[in-house]
Amino acid sequence: MSESIGKGLFRIDAEGKVAGKTLYPGDIDIEGQLWLKMKFSDRVHARILSVDTRQAEEVPGVVRVFTAADVPVNEYGLVYRDQPVICGPGSEKPGTDVVRCLADVVAVVVAETQEIAAQAVKLVTVKYEDLPAIHDPEAALNNQLQLHPDYLSNTICHYKTRYGDIDDGWAKADVVVEGEFQTGYQEHAYLQPEAGLSYLDEEGRVTVIVAGQWVHEDQDQIFHALDLPAEQARVIYPAVGGAFGGREDMSVQIVLALATWTLKRPVKTIWSREESILYHHKRHPIKIRAKWGATRDGMITAVEATLIGDAGAYNYTTNKVLGNAHLMTCGPYYVPNAHLDTYGVVTNNIPCGAFRGFGAPQAAFAAENMMNRLAHALNMDPVELRLKNVLRDGVEYITGTPHPPGVTMPQVIEECARQSDYWDETETGWRKRPNILSTDPNMKRGVGFAAAYKNIGYSFGFPEQCWATIEIHGKADIERVVVRAAGAEVGQGSHTAFVQMTAQAVGVPVEKVELIGHDTAETNTSGSASASRMTYMMGNAIRGAAEQALQHWNDEERPAIATYQYRPPRTSPFDPQTGEAMPNFAYGYVAEAAEVEVDIETGLIRLVRVVCADDVGKAINPINIEGQIEGAIVQAQGYALLENLVVKDGQILNPFLSTYLIPTVFDIPTEVKSVILEIPSAEGPWGARGMAEMPFIPLAPAIAAAVYDAVGVWITQIPMTPDVVVRELRKHGVGAS
Ligand code: MOS
């Protein structure tokens, strides 16, 4: 039997996508479909006194205008159902007559054509009574003005770590460094804006064709809001044009289902790019104040930090994202004494939620910056200092528990340094080589280093699970294997990995495997394609199902079918007073070296080269992993250097890809060197860990360290756009004024 995993097989979705044949939700039409257009709030915080739909309804071709009164259970939300589907008077649920941000929906117009729907939506008139708004999360934190009735205060989450003896930690510190950091919003900028098509299927189920990250979760949100039995709602994903966390929450799903269920007709909608940028959630901006202490010989003694994250108007995944950020506040290091507070705060800004790394990039920007500052303060090599303090197997973290066995952070840091060609391993430890000098005196080169880890799975006590079904068809020999696996293919290559893992587990070539997925009517739930978990969770589910199906096959059952639910080891949430926890069942480890060139005249930072080492446990498909690394680096480069969402008083001022700049081929590094380590994790399928988010996390702090290495100035805000950099350079007397 030849191996099916560990090979860089072409993706099963490659041909259709490359040839332009693949259909995304916006490409699909049904005879007789209506078109839907959403009217969003005109105010950041206001009570809606009335919504007048009469003028819109009089437009020929308008079929129906939906308002709050039409939504059976007017609430939704991934963690808490804290947002009305449609805001306005007439709902049973109290508080749904208030808009709390510009992303709230106030009416939904359904018409015979797209043009009529767009025209009519402008004729919906809303009377508002303005309410006082808060846009600064620090101002919201202790404000008496309560912005959301579902929460006891504006603080929707507060995580506390009280670990060790913080006074003792400061007493033992010979060197103390302090910093204040502000990270920015980030727009997911997936290729395909939100779109969907709903209809009644042959069994009368309200069926929504859409792009998301978890078909069964979308289904749950739909049947809850429509007050239907679960089996009356169905969700199908055709191709998904990117997600990155941005499709974890609802966009068009519920209103499409509402329209079809009410009108008994197919309904379609497509958001423009502008609508996509304005109305789906963003990465959380987080303010971080940190203070780190160490002994003269480089052992960390204490960390104190406060993190304040802007949730925007609703929770989305804020409490989870900030929990993750909180966990990452001390980096991948042993910290004997820690005193940490993390707050997620509601404001009247655009909601924030999941985005690749899930809070880890923000925390790492501060933590790794503090490590690099400590290295300078101690006159130690940054790699050497990291290795002195790095978490190892059995070493307790600030949660009071060690990471699960297979803590490979030391190996990953060393391998990154070794393969970077920027460091030498000497008898006295790792030493960075001198920088290449530029011939242009205005161009300064520098190299920076950062490391991180990422939890695989949601964890913190969440009841994690994943289902797979394997069907083995044939008579004497296996002719065909069907795997039913719901897990979303969001562009990361998961479906190809599912097929490879099925082939491996059953012992057939990949050509014999057929995947049925992306449909709640055909599969059991597998959880979301997020938290770098899909390959890990589905691999274990597939292994379990394959083992049982093969037993049935040997017992002469034809076809031999088995369904298996994988449940990983239990985890626990933070203790509310101390932060003690067994937060996760698995981690992946990553380290990066970044080389930059800083133009001290203009403040422009050019990312020249990145070396990224990831311990993925087992590379199920090495080419896909390289793709993930390169993609994450470029996305993180945009985050770190370019992507500047301008928000004023809760309003996004640049909802265009012409003014919100993401990296193009002219910006990307000359080289991204992927270093893939395969040190198996105990629980992972074939040892695999998961890796989709990891390469994103350390890039911004590695760039900040490289900039310091080049010009001797710390940049403490994201994005590090030229105006920010040039201001800091001049403040420190660097470059012409
Ligand atoms: Mo993700 S940010 O875990 O979808």
Side-chain angles (χ1 to χ4, degrees), residues 213 244-246 248 354-358 529-532 693:
Q213 296 180 228
F244 314 115
E248 281 195 17
F355 198 145
R356 202 176 201 167
F358 213 76
S530 62
S532 302
E693 296 167 293

Side-chain angles (χ1 to χ4, degrees), residues 27-95:
D27 302 323
I28 302 169
D29 294 289
I30 294 183
E31 187 75 17
Q33 71 196 14
L34 300 168
W35 283 84
L36 177 151
K37 185 89 178 163
M38 295 154 81
K39 171 161 178 60
F40 293 90
S41 174
D42 307 288
R43 306 295 169 86
V44 289
H45 195 201
R47 186 172 308 281
I48 297 180
L49 301 176
S50 66
V51 180
D52 188 344
T53 60
R54 279 169 301 181
Q55 256 192 301
E57 277 159 342
E58 277 164 20
V59 176
V62 169
V63 177
R64 177 78 187 255
V65 182
F66 292 90
T67 62
D70 300 310
V71 188
V73 180
N74 196 6
E75 57 176 24
Y76 76 103
L78 197 56
V79 182
Y80 305 125
R81 300 191 198 271
D82 63 354
Q83 186 170 12
V85 177
I86 304 176
C87 296
S91 267
E92 273 176 37
K93 189 179 176 186

Side-chain angles (χ1 to χ4, degrees), residues 124-445:
V124 175
T125 42
V126 184
K127 275 209 184 105
Y128 299 97
E129 176 188 74
D130 279 318
L131 297 169
I134 308 180
H135 299 292
D136 173 5
E138 278 195 87
L141 194 58
N142 295 310
N143 202 305
Q144 297 308 308
L145 185 70
Q146 194 181 330
L147 296 180
H148 198 299
D150 289 9
Y151 303 107
L152 293 174
S153 73
N154 294 330
T155 305
I156 33 183
C157 61
H158 176 196
Y159 298 105
K160 275 193 231 178
T161 290
R162 303 288 181 264
Y163 181 67
D165 178 344
I166 195 71
D167 295 333
D168 186 52
W170 293 125
K172 288 191 174 130
D174 299 312
V175 173
V176 174
V177 292
E178 290 186 65
E180 184 171 318
F181 306 88
Q182 178 66 58
T183 69
Y185 283 104
Q186 189 181 19
E187 152 63 30
H188 301 80
Y190 24 65
L191 281 175
Q192 176 217 355
E194 289 74 0
L197 173 63
S198 54
Y199 61 97
L200 297 178
D201 76 356
E202 61 286 351
E203 294 188 26
R205 290 175 286 210
V206 60
T207 303
V208 181
I209 292 180
V210 70
Q213 296 180 228
W214 183 358
V215 278
H216 290 85
E217 171 60 31
D218 290 11
Q219 179 198 32
D220 178 84
Q221 300 272 351
I222 290 166
F223 70 68
H224 178 82
L226 269 58
D227 201 17
L228 292 173
E231 61 277 8
Q232 271 299 313
R234 178 180 180 187
V235 173
I236 299 171
Y237 297 162
V240 179
F244 314 115
R247 296 191 206 270
E248 281 195 17
D249 296 272
M250 298 302 96
S251 55
V252 299
Q253 290 86 333
I254 301 172
V255 289
L256 280 172
L258 174 68
T260 283
W261 188 245
T262 310
L263 303 170
K264 310 295 178 206
R265 285 182 66 179
V267 181
K268 181 170 178 172
T269 196
I270 302 179
W271 280 8
S272 64
R273 175 65 63 182
E274 187 180 349
E275 286 174 311
S276 178
I277 297 180
L278 288 173
Y279 303 128
H280 83 256
H281 74 262
K282 304 291 171 265
R283 184 190 293 283
H284 292 82
I286 301 183
K287 174 168 276 187
I288 302 167
R289 296 191 189 92
K291 184 174 154 190
W292 289 45
T295 60
R296 211 162 287 115
D297 58 355
M299 299 309 295
I300 299 169
T301 61
V303 170
E304 260 182 69
T306 305
L307 286 76
I308 299 170
D310 184 356
Y314 300 99
N315 185 66
Y316 284 62
T317 41
T318 289
N319 63 330
K320 306 284 181 189
V321 169
L322 285 159
N324 222 35
H326 185 80
L327 180 72
M328 313 283 179
T329 303
C330 290
Y333 310 110
Y334 171 64
V335 173
N337 309 292
H339 185 121
L340 316 170
D341 289 277
T342 297
Y343 303 89
V345 187
V346 277
T347 61
N348 296 110
N349 296 331
I350 193 88
C352 291
F355 198 145
R356 202 176 201 167
F358 213 76
Q362 294 95 317
F365 185 59
E368 290 302 288
N369 189 299
M370 297 310 281
M371 263 323 250
N372 288 321
R373 284 187 201 211
L374 270 182
H376 283 278
L378 292 159
N379 199 22
M380 285 180 69
D381 185 272
V383 170
E384 202 52 37
L385 178 65
R386 283 180 168 78
L387 289 171
K388 266 181 184 286
N389 292 281
V390 70
L391 288 178
R392 296 170 189 275
D393 265 327
V395 173
E396 198 171 286
Y397 190 52
I398 52 167
T399 50
T401 54
H403 282 23
V407 182
T408 55
M409 195 74 262
Q411 294 95 310
V412 172
I413 289 175
E414 291 203 293
E415 200 56 24
C416 184
R418 186 173 294 125
Q419 299 227 21
S420 72
D421 300 325
Y422 301 122
W423 268 265
D424 290 311
E425 197 173 3
T426 72
E427 279 178 9
T428 54
W430 292 91
R431 292 288 170 271
K432 188 176 151 282
R433 296 176 188 171
N435 293 326
I436 300 164
L437 291 178
S438 175
T439 47
D440 181 341
N442 280 329
M443 295 297 198
K444 307 289 183 196
R445 289 234 173 184

Side-chain angles (χ1 to χ4, degrees), residues 541-553:
I542 285 171
R543 284 182 83 165
E547 195 182 312
Q548 290 179 8
L550 282 170
Q551 272 171 21
H552 299 326
W553 177 264

Side-chain angles (χ1 to χ4, degrees), residues 631-706:
I633 297 291
V634 171
Q635 197 170 39
Q637 176 190 9
Y639 177 55
L641 299 177
L642 286 167
E643 298 183 30
N644 188 19
L645 198 74
V646 184
V647 181
K648 189 165 186 296
D649 299 332
Q651 171 142 34
I652 295 170
L653 300 178
N654 56 340
F656 309 103
L657 293 178
S658 55
T659 48
Y660 178 84
L661 302 180
I662 61 173
T664 70
V665 71
F666 300 109
D667 303 297
I668 63 173
T670 311
E671 186 195 355
V672 172
K673 183 175 180 180
S674 298
V675 179
I676 300 171
L677 285 82
E678 296 183 279
I679 309 171
S681 82
E683 264 284 312
W686 298 278
R689 292 169 185 271
M691 56 77 56
E693 296 167 293
M694 289 202 293
F696 190 105
I697 300 167
L699 189 71
I703 289 174

